[in-house]
Structure formats: structure tokens, C-alpha cells
Amino acid sequence: MDLHAHASSRGYELDSAQQEAVARLEELGRRRRGVYLHGPVGRGKSFLADALFDVLPEPKKRVHFHAFFQELHRRISARLHQRGAVAEAVRELVGRAEVLAFDELHVHDVGDAMLMTRLLEALQDRRVMIIATSNYPPDGLLPDPLHHDRFLPGIALVKELMDTVELNGPNDYRHLHGAPRSRFETGAIVTAAPLPATPVTLDVNGRAITALGTEDERIWFDFGDLCEKPTSTQDYLVLADRFDDWVIVGVPRLRARDREARQRFANVVDVLVDKDVRLTLVSEHALGEIVGGEVRDLARTASRLELINTTG
Ligand SMILES: Nc1ncnc2c1ncn2[C@@H]1O[C@H](COP(=O)(O)OP(=O)(O)OP(=O)(O)O)[C@@H](O)[C@H]1O
Ligand SMILES: [Mg+2]
């Protein structure tokens, strides 16, 4: 296994923090020991985790937090009141995989904390090697001080199943690169845009969601309809499969809105990045104003949105 050669084959010059991380990942990969790679945005965590995943032998599986969790929720609720429901759902989802790559492990509410703990237990039982990336060190997961204690068993499991590797080099590479690499990156933040004439009500997972309009694969939303109504990540996943060009109108200063609205917006952005959906934000505020302030959970969102912040 030559992780260094594989990582370098991208043509990137690895910085010293990345080189150090590669050496640790290589060793952990050889020992089939789980990895929890954490650090600030844009340092190359997903890049290195992918590289490690690539050089490990089959059977293996790569999943993404939101889609995987929603699917897990769905399969568990289909078996409500059955014994071993979580283990069975995990068995179905993970299959024969002996390596599970879990990009962006983060926990923001008590429900996710409970499910994450059960998931980790099930993966421990199945002796699956986990490769996780996160913006949070294990002790920083479920940061909300009101609920943090509820995830202490999960944090203990994270530490038991994975070795913690911090990646905190000098460069946020997301800021450094030039030409767009994805459809998401061709989006923009603008102060005005032409809007469709007639609002539509969409049936999404049996719920009515109002859009400002649709046109082929393009959809326009008002921020309030999308983020200040009880919409869920599952809804965004379904909508992102149907529409690959989103416009969100009236995006406010997020710090002035409640926690739920902020979290929904962060989830929307996560889902759209993952699904490579083009995103245009229409706002009277510049990006720094939209995501500014002491709102720690918005760091990842801010970094993602830098990619479409072509206006400055
Ligand atoms: N040494 C490097 N040279 C050039 N580009 C790099 C380098 N390392 C990573 N990149 C690129 O920089 C971008 C950001 O890296 P990556 O997505 O892995 O960051 P991350 O740490 O996972 O960020 P986040 O916490 O936001 O998920 C990617 O497009 C990646 O391919
Ligand atoms: Mg990442």
C-alpha cells in the first residue's frame, strides 16, 4: 500500500501537515485500524480519506452523512418495535463491507446522537473499519452544551474504534484553486435575479412544500418556505434528485434567524454540494454578512459558499 504515491498521483503537492497525516493514515490502514480525521475546512481531509479508502482492498463502501442517516432512519422506522432493528438496518446498508468511509461526521441533535451511537455499536459488532472526516474533534461533537452529555457514550465509541488524526495545515485549499471543478461551483451569490411568475406547491415525502416556481430542472425557493417551515433533510435529498439548479431568494443574515432555520440552511447547502447541484443565492447581503457572526456551526457552510461567491 503506497498511500503517498496514490495521494500524489492527483498532481497536488502535499503540504507538511498532509504528509504527516499520510504517514499516519498509511500505518493505520496497514493495521486496519479506524481513522477519525478532523480539522478546519478545506485542509484536504476528504481528499486524504478518499485516497486511503482507494488503496484499501474490497469489500468496502463509501457513504455520505446525510443520505446514509436518512436511509438508516427510514429502514429503522420500517421495523419499529422489532428487536435488533438498528443492527438489521446497518447490516442491509453496510452489506459485506469491511471498510466504511464516512465523510463529514457531525452530530447536531439528540436524535442523531442516539442513532450515531447505535450505528457505531453495530459497526463495532461487525468489526468494520471506519474512516471518518469531521470539522470537530471527537470531544467537540454535539457541541450544544445543553445536550453534549447525551453523546458521551458515542464519543467514547468514536475513540475506541478510531485513532484521531488532526489535519490543520496552513492552506484552506478551497480558497486557493482557480477554475470551477463542479456544477455547484458554477453557482453565484447575486442581489437580484429574474423570478418565475407562479408559485407551485410540491408534494415531497407526502408534505406540501411551496416553491416560487419551477422550470424544467430549475427550482426557485423563498428562504422562508425552505428553511423556516418544518422541512427535512430527506426533502432536500428528494428535491435535489429532481432539480439540479436551485435558486434561493431572500437569504437573510443567518445569525438573526433561529437555530433551526440556520441548521436547515446548512443542511440544504451540504446536500446540494454532495449532489453537485448548481446553487444561486439571491440576497441583499454579501456572503460575509449572511454567514457572519459567532456562529460556529456555520463554518462549513461558509466555506462551501465561498465556492459560489464570485461576486466578491
Ligand atoms: N495539497 C493540495 N493541493 C491542491 N489542492 C488540494 C490539496 N489538498 C486538497 N486539495 C483540494 O482542495 C479542496 C478541499 O479539500 P477537501 O475537500 O479534501 O477539504 P476538507 O478538509 O475535506 O474540507 P471540509 O472540512 O470543508 O470538508 C479539494 O478540491 C481538494 O481536492
Ligand atoms: Mg471534507
Side-chain angles (χ1 to χ4, degrees):
M1 184 175 76
D2 191 347
L3 183 58
H4 193 273
H6 180 70
S8 307
S9 67
R10 264 284 192 94
Y12 294 161
E13 194 175 322
L14 304 186
D15 64 43
S16 60
Q18 290 180 328
Q19 292 190 21
E20 245 173 72
V22 162
R24 293 231 21 230
L25 298 186
E26 193 150 22
E27 186 229 329
L28 293 169
R30 216 178 292 117
R31 287 170 38 210
R32 294 288 187 282
R33 166 85 183 137
V35 177
Y36 185 95
L37 187 58
H38 73 95
V41 296
R43 266 36 182 201
K45 297 180 299 297
S46 298
F47 159 59
L48 292 183
D50 280 353
L52 174 59
F53 179 84
D54 286 347
V55 298
L56 287 169
E58 300 279 356
K60 56 189 177 180
K61 186 162 183 169
R62 185 172 6 216
V63 301
H64 197 277
F65 177 80
H66 289 292
F68 185 76
F69 250 54
Q70 293 301 327
E71 192 52 32
L72 199 55
H73 266 299
R74 201 180 65 71
R75 286 176 191 240
I76 291 168
S77 39
R79 299 196 164 77
L80 216 60
H81 310 307
Q82 282 176 28
R83 293 189 63 192
V86 177
E88 185 60 15
V90 171
R91 191 186 61 76
E92 282 178 6
L93 278 175
V94 175
R96 293 170 51 244
E98 290 166 15
V99 177
L100 185 70
F102 210 107
D103 200 20
E104 283 178 30
L105 192 155
H106 41 84
V107 179
H108 288 296
D109 62 46
V110 175
D112 280 353
M114 296 299 144
L115 188 56
M116 180 63 82
T117 307
R118 307 296 301 279
L119 168 64
L120 292 170
E121 285 166 357
L123 294 174
Q124 182 176 40
D125 286 347
R126 303 180 67 77
R127 299 172 182 285
V128 174
M129 173 186 172
I130 307 167
I131 304 171
T133 75
S134 181
N135 295 125
Y136 302 83
D139 290 319
L141 289 166
L142 191 56
D144 183 348
L146 274 178
H147 301 300
H148 180 74
D149 283 1
R150 305 286 292 275
F151 196 53
L152 292 178
I155 290 170
L157 267 172
V158 165
K159 292 177 179 173
E160 199 177 322
L161 298 176
M162 294 167 246
D163 267 26
T164 302
V165 179
E166 188 179 9
L167 183 61
N168 190 2
N171 296 329
D172 175 349
Y173 289 103
R174 199 165 284 126
H175 285 263
L176 289 182
H177 69 69
R181 301 173 192 201
S182 79
R183 190 168 164 73
F184 181 83
E185 290 180 57
T186 64
I189 301 177
V190 297
T191 52
L195 297 181
T198 32
V200 288
T201 303
L202 302 160
D203 179 348
V204 185
N205 298 315
R207 205 193 329 258
I209 296 183
T210 303
L212 293 175
T214 64
E215 195 182 289
D216 302 324
E217 263 106 69
R218 190 160 215 224
I219 189 161
W220 288 259
F221 281 111
D222 175 68
F223 177 87
D225 292 330
L226 191 61
C227 300
E228 295 180 311
K229 301 267 166 71
T231 57
S232 75
T233 303
Q234 181 62 42
D235 302 338
Y236 316 144
L237 288 163
V238 168
L239 286 163
D241 283 338
R242 245 158 84 189
F243 300 97
D244 75 352
D245 191 350
W246 288 39
V247 183
I248 305 178
V249 180
V251 180
R253 291 189 178 96
L254 293 169
R255 65 176 174 279
R257 301 304 164 99
D258 67 27
R259 214 176 139 258
E260 268 110 74
R262 285 203 299 269
Q263 188 61 53
R264 284 194 200 98
F265 184 73
N267 291 344
V268 168
V269 173
D270 272 352
V271 166
L272 300 188
V273 172
D274 295 338
K275 300 239 173 205
D276 216 7
V277 165
R278 188 168 190 276
L279 172 64
T280 304
L281 300 183
V282 183
S283 176
E284 59 188 66
H285 309 293
L287 177 60
E289 282 288 299
I290 294 171
V291 295
E294 290 295 300
V295 189
R296 176 161 182 243
D297 287 351
L298 285 177
R300 191 176 61 257
T301 308
S303 172
R304 300 304 190 251
L305 292 178
E306 284 288 350
L307 295 173
I308 62 170
N309 192 29
T310 47
T311 48

